[in-house]
Amino acid sequence: MRPRPRTPAAPSGTPSAHRAGNIRRTPSRAAAVLLAGVLTAGAATGCGGAARGGGPAEEAARATPGAAGVGDPYFPRLGNGGYDVRHYDLDLAYDPATARLTGTTRIAARATQDLSAFNLDLTGLTVTSVTVDGRSAPVTRAGGELTVRPGAALREGADFRTVVRYTGRPRTLTDADGSREGWLRTSDGAVALGQPAGSATWFPGSHHPSDKATYRLAVTVPRGLAAVSNGEPAAPEAVPAPAPGKATYVWRTTQPMASYLATLAIGRYRTTADRTPEGLPVHSAVRDTADGPTDRLPEVLAWAERRFGPYPFSSSGVIVDPSVDAGYALETQNRPFFGSGTLDLATLVHELAHQWYGNSVSPASWRDMWLNEGFATYAEWLYGEDTEGTPVSRRFATAYADDRNWAFPPAAPPGAADISGAPVYERGAMVLHQVRRAVGDRVFFGVLRDWAAAHRHGNASTADFTAFVERRAGGRDLSALWQAWLYGEGRPAAGR
């Protein structure tokens, strides 16, 4: 994510300004199984687990509730323990006149322990029914946590399917740093933005980046409006016939996605379907009032592939809506979102770089945010060096002189409000430049490509990264660099 500049976009080769003196923010798991395979295999409760002795009574006695949260250091209640989501299938209907959302979410998951109950994250909205493997399941609620009790214990390794039906007016959340996320209403529709917790305002699930899944989303809206999401639009024959006066749009995301990267934009958009010169599909949705360098997207993608390796997803594009004053751009998977005042070339580079660093390689926890933002910020610096003749060393010097970047170590933000702080972005980028200085360009640019390839569609932590760099540097001990630049308090000497 990247903040809206306080001033007009910076001239070529200079750093962009940041909102209100504080940078705004823009955990490995195998690729998820596609919906058809997940929903047909092991549908009966208890299928798929390892054979063990004992009858139903013994199995029930072994089962325990899954944890209400994965224990993230900043958002401990996000995500849920005891299962792994493989696929989300959402059917939604939204009426902008009443701001009312009606939804059915089908969740294909696998139990990672013997489960007597499990939790789902859902903020607001009224749940009308829940079933597990076709049987009605009682549910209780405490704030944003739903506790579901299936009729029979779910065995470890079993695939199961949960269906949640719900309705209501989705909420807009205000985060600890004052920014807005969740369901943001517009004059003719809405935009859903999910970092770090906003996705739970419009569909139930396990909302932590460590639990990635594939998606299908069908949304029905009044005719005349478009509905744009992640992935690719379904073929016309896969779109159900809507009711009179309505239109239905279906999107599929076949590469794993963290839920905070899921988006839905509803409104009067100009939608386009194109391809890059290399043949990558590009699906975009832009308000007619939008202004910005969207035509530079193929050029930036081609540059990024040269630096970071093959583009990790099956399509690209942008969503541009100046009517949404969120105060930031967000790297929503496949097609980044740009709100009011956020679309300039530097931000386009930043959000596209996130498709490799943050989206494909997602953080193991929210403490690892610098792996998203430091990489995307360094991508801006590299783009300036490669295309505008501005040395990265000049951007490094500007960041080094900025006192805001030394408020805390990038790998250890003090709290939830700080994961979008200046050190996560620009000191994070400075860490990468120090690595480049230490290991040389050949090893460093190999690290950029190989890191993205090694953890493609997975999750990784800061410890994973430091160990990866040291291996690629021939086993060199870089602990002094990590301590000074990544974990240390205060400003180290620039030459270290």
Side-chain angles (χ1 to χ4, degrees):
M1 187 173 285
R2 198 167 186 277
R4 176 180 59 206
R6 293 178 303 187
T7 58
S12 176
T14 63
S16 297
H18 301 293
R19 181 182 65 168
N22 187 26
I23 299 179
R24 179 62 176 93
R25 54 171 165 78
T26 33
S28 215
R29 181 185 308 277
V33 181
L34 294 178
L35 176 61
V38 172
L39 296 185
T40 57
T45 300
C47 291
R52 288 180 291 180
E58 287 85 350
E59 290 181 8
R62 283 196 298 262
T64 56
V70 299
D72 186 273
Y74 302 125
F75 306 96
R77 303 283 283 187
L78 286 184
N80 297 288
Y83 65 93
D84 171 23
V85 177
R86 302 304 184 90
H87 185 83
Y88 291 98
D89 189 315
L90 284 69
D91 280 290
L92 308 176
Y94 184 65
D95 182 359
T98 63
R100 193 166 192 84
L101 179 74
T102 301
T104 299
T105 294
R106 302 169 187 87
I107 305 170
R110 177 168 294 171
T112 57
Q113 67 178 67
D114 292 334
L115 279 174
S116 60
F118 61 90
N119 278 34
L120 297 170
D121 304 319
L122 184 66
T123 301
L125 302 174
T126 299
V127 174
T128 58
S129 71
V130 178
T131 64
V132 178
D133 289 332
R135 299 171 61 184
S136 180
V139 59
T140 57
R141 186 167 201 162
E145 294 285 339
L146 302 180
T147 300
V148 181
R149 293 175 173 80
L154 301 169
R155 296 182 61 184
E156 181 180 355
D159 294 323
F160 65 100
R161 185 187 189 196
T162 304
V163 180
V164 183
R165 292 179 170 83
Y166 53 98
T167 189
R169 293 181 175 86
R171 296 180 182 176
T172 299
L173 304 181
T174 300
D175 294 338
D177 63 0
S179 62
R180 298 191 310 143
E181 59 162 328
W183 194 265
L184 309 179
R185 293 182 62 186
T186 65
S187 61
D188 59 4
V191 171
L193 302 175
Q195 186 175 311
S199 50
T201 65
W202 58 287
F203 68 96
S206 183
H207 291 292
H208 188 269
S210 59
D211 200 350
K212 302 171 82 166
T214 57
Y215 285 73
R216 171 192 171 275
L217 185 149
V219 56
T220 299
V221 295
R223 189 169 297 280
L225 302 182
V228 181
S229 188
N230 313 87
E232 292 77 52
E237 58 269 20
V239 179
K246 305 291 184 180
T248 298
Y249 298 83
V250 179
W251 294 83
R252 299 182 187 275
T253 303
T254 57
Q255 288 94 23
M257 178 168 69
S259 64
Y260 81 91
L261 299 169
T263 191
L264 174 59
I266 299 168
R268 292 183 176 85
Y269 294 107
R270 173 169 45 87
T271 60
T272 59
D274 205 346
R275 290 183 180 269
T276 67
E278 294 73 27
L280 180 72
V282 177
H283 301 281
S284 293
V286 180
R287 290 274 188 186
D288 286 335
T289 57
D291 184 23
T294 56
D295 60 331
R296 304 286 295 274
L297 186 146
E299 166 198 328
V300 175
L301 281 174
W303 169 83
E305 285 198 295
R306 291 194 296 272
R307 278 302 190 195
F308 310 141
Y311 181 72
F313 301 112
S314 52
S315 69
S316 187
V318 294
I319 300 172
V320 186
D321 193 342
S323 73
V324 178
D325 190 16
Y328 56 87
L330 182 63
E331 62 272 19
T332 44
Q333 192 157 303
N334 303 95
R335 50 195 48 83
F337 171 81
F338 300 88
S340 176
T342 64
L343 181 54
D344 55 36
L345 182 57
T347 309
L348 182 65
V349 171
H350 185 105
E351 305 306 339
L352 290 177
H354 273 311
Q355 305 305 308
W356 284 261
Y357 309 112
N359 294 12
S360 179
V361 186
S362 299
S365 81
W366 288 109
R367 180 174 283 158
D368 302 305
M369 268 287 279
W370 83 274
L371 289 172
N372 293 19
E373 302 302 349
F375 274 72
T377 300
Y378 200 73
E380 294 180 54
W381 297 4
L382 281 177
Y383 188 81
E385 183 169 74
D386 288 350
T387 68
E388 301 166 351
T390 304
V392 167
S393 58
R394 187 183 303 174
R395 301 292 295 268
F396 176 94
T398 299
Y400 183 84
D402 190 337
D403 291 342
R404 296 175 304 165
N405 294 328
W406 307 102
F408 57 83
D418 303 298
I419 64 170
S420 61
V424 172
Y425 287 69
E426 297 213 337
R427 186 171 169 184
M430 283 189 275
V431 170
L432 295 177
H433 196 57
Q434 289 301 103
V435 171
R436 182 179 176 182
R437 286 174 167 174
V439 304
D441 278 9
R442 182 185 64 81
V443 172
F444 176 74
F445 287 111
V447 164
L448 289 187
R449 295 174 62 93
D450 294 346
W451 173 253
H455 295 279
R456 182 182 175 95
H457 302 318
N459 299 82
S461 68
T462 298
D464 293 328
F465 178 72
T466 57
F468 187 90
V469 172
E470 292 187 351
R471 287 196 302 272
R472 293 307 170 98
R476 182 176 172 184
D477 181 5
L478 297 174
S479 57
L481 187 158
W482 308 132
Q483 184 55 45
W485 291 89
L486 192 53
Y487 293 105
E489 299 285 350
R491 187 176 349 221
R496 288 182 62 185

